[in-house]
Amino acid sequence: MDFQIFLTTFGMVFLAELGDKTQLATFCLAADCDPKVSVFVGAALALVLSTLIAVVLGSTLSRFVPESYIKIGAGIFFVVAGVWMLVGAGRSLLS
């Protein structure tokens, strides 16, 4: 195991997940449901499964598409998603 990659991945995913809608949904479920361990296990397994899908798809895609194209595509996707969110927030403020 490459611990540098492990720590980098852990740090990026941990920071990306803080305060996102998934964490807020889990927060609300934990406030409303008992036992709390069921919420924890359900949320943890969902994150593990979605991460597994991302790793499998990423490793498969990297066999056919150069890494630089994947990075450029991901960057464009995040810029477009960010602009879309800003436009939506702007519309909400104007309504």
Side-chain angles (χ1 to χ4, degrees), residues 9-95:
T9 303
F10 176 85
M12 289 178 60
V13 172
F14 182 78
L15 291 175
E17 292 298 319
L18 285 177
D20 75 342
K21 62 184 177 236
T22 304
Q23 186 183 33
L24 296 174
T26 304
F27 176 85
C28 291
L29 283 168
D32 194 39
C33 299
D34 280 319
K36 308 300 185 209
V37 71
S38 297
V39 176
F40 172 76
V41 171
L45 288 176
L47 182 57
V48 167
L49 180 59
S50 66
T51 302
L52 175 65
I53 292 168
V55 169
V56 169
L57 290 178
S59 64
T60 302
L61 185 63
S62 68
R63 293 181 191 161
F64 305 105
V65 179
E67 180 182 350
S68 60
Y69 290 1
I70 295 172
K71 287 181 178 180
I72 291 169
I76 290 170
F77 171 78
F78 280 112
V79 168
V80 169
V83 168
W84 187 17
M85 292 171 108
L86 287 172
V87 168
R91 287 182 182 164
S92 295
L93 288 174
L94 296 175
S95 314

